[in-house]
Amino acid sequence: MGHFVKTPVRARAALAMLALVAAPAMLGTLASPAAAQQSPADSIATACMASDTATAWRRVSAAWSDERGHTWSNDSLRRRLIALGERDQAVRNAPALADSMRDPAFVRRMAERDSADAAELRAIIDRYGWPGRSLVGARGASAAFLVAQHNPALQHEALRLMQALPAGEVSPSDLAMLEDRVRVSDGRPQRYGTQLHDSGDGRTLVFDPIEDLAHLDERRAAAGLPPLPVYLCIIRGLSGREVQPPAGYT
């Protein structure tokens, strides 16, 4: 949620974290539900997808997450980025993230972690440019996104660098979610419907404005994101809150 949604991530800062925290990393698992072990977030997503018959988005997600037959040139950097991504997620590993965000000590720990991770990612970018799939594999590239999307000072640059890479170098869903975050931060409508915020009642999440709502699910599928009804189910399950569908969505 960016402000929201491994697919699910911070009130605008707090709730934004909740939705996307689980989402980006989760999509690869969702495309292949036979994972040996699932986190609670993965289990929620799998249950939400039980009746989902859409296939286009799954193909896009699977094509990115399947690393069989792919090679990368810098395995030590890949391992470094994966460790960064794991630390980013570990600090957010709370039973109820939205509730934990009300704890100043929790927020402080998370901010300290994000600041340290951002500094390390900055050093990586300065030396290597944006780490794409050919450099660090799909897992390494998506781990870099996880860190960047939680650090507003890096988001615009990360989006620019990711967009400049050739097709196949960055995850379509990572790119879509980061574009939405940057657009909402800039006061523009999002394109993929990944960003939500608290309505003000503490119980309901609402979508930030979305452009061209009629073709939303087409864009989501092309980016490897599940249909909006599945996303709504996931966010409800992860946040324990009601989610108001975008006005006019059918």
Side-chain angles (χ1 to χ4, degrees):
M1 266 168 220
H3 178 104
F4 252 149
V5 116
K6 240 161 180 203
T7 285
V9 346
R10 320 177 259 199
R12 190 168 285 269
L15 293 178
M17 252 174 263
L18 181 55
L20 282 176
V21 158
M26 195 190 292
L27 288 178
T29 302
L30 296 185
S32 179
Q37 293 183 336
Q38 289 192 324
S39 70
D42 291 331
S43 297
I44 288 170
T46 300
C48 288
M49 293 177 54
S51 60
D52 174 33
T53 59
T55 58
W57 80 271
R58 292 173 185 261
R59 288 194 297 268
V60 173
S61 177
W64 169 258
S65 60
D66 187 354
E67 294 194 306
R68 293 173 298 180
H70 289 272
T71 58
W72 44 88
S73 60
N74 195 326
D75 197 59
S76 63
L77 180 58
R78 168 187 166 89
R79 293 195 300 270
R80 182 179 172 188
L81 284 165
I82 290 172
L84 264 182
E86 289 173 345
R87 292 199 295 269
D88 172 276
Q89 294 293 287
V91 74
R92 292 169 166 81
N93 187 18
L97 182 58
D99 293 335
S100 296
M101 290 299 296
R102 300 187 183 98
D103 178 0
F106 179 88
V107 173
R108 183 175 60 254
R109 287 195 303 273
M110 188 163 57
E112 291 170 351
R113 177 75 272 154
D114 287 350
S115 178
D117 291 347
E120 185 166 353
L121 182 60
R122 162 54 60 199
I124 290 171
I125 294 171
D126 288 346
R127 179 174 179 182
Y128 300 98
W130 188 260
R133 186 171 193 165
S134 61
L135 183 66
V136 295
R139 286 188 63 198
S142 284
F145 156 77
L146 279 179
V147 175
Q149 59 117 13
H150 285 145
N151 290 276
L154 285 175
Q155 289 172 6
H156 284 76
E157 181 181 6
L159 179 61
R160 176 179 60 81
L161 293 173
M162 290 168 70
Q163 289 176 330
L165 289 176
E169 283 294 303
V170 298
S171 160
S173 61
D174 291 351
L175 189 59
M177 288 186 282
L178 187 56
E179 181 179 351
D180 273 3
R181 283 205 170 195
V182 167
R183 279 175 164 260
V184 170
S185 175
D186 289 347
R188 295 184 291 157
Q190 57 180 322
R191 300 191 67 239
Y192 299 94
T194 64
Q195 308 299 294
L196 302 91
H197 63 273
D198 193 297
S199 66
D201 64 6
R203 299 186 303 274
T204 307
L205 300 172
V206 298
F207 282 86
D208 290 289
I210 303 170
E211 71 177 27
D212 187 19
L213 195 60
H215 299 98
L216 173 61
D217 278 328
E218 293 176 28
R219 293 193 299 277
R220 289 182 64 88
L225 293 168
L228 197 66
V230 174
Y231 188 68
L232 291 171
C233 177
I234 292 170
I235 298 304
R236 287 172 180 137
L238 288 172
S239 68
R241 302 186 184 193
E242 183 52 48
V243 182
Q244 182 177 309
Y249 177 82
T250 57

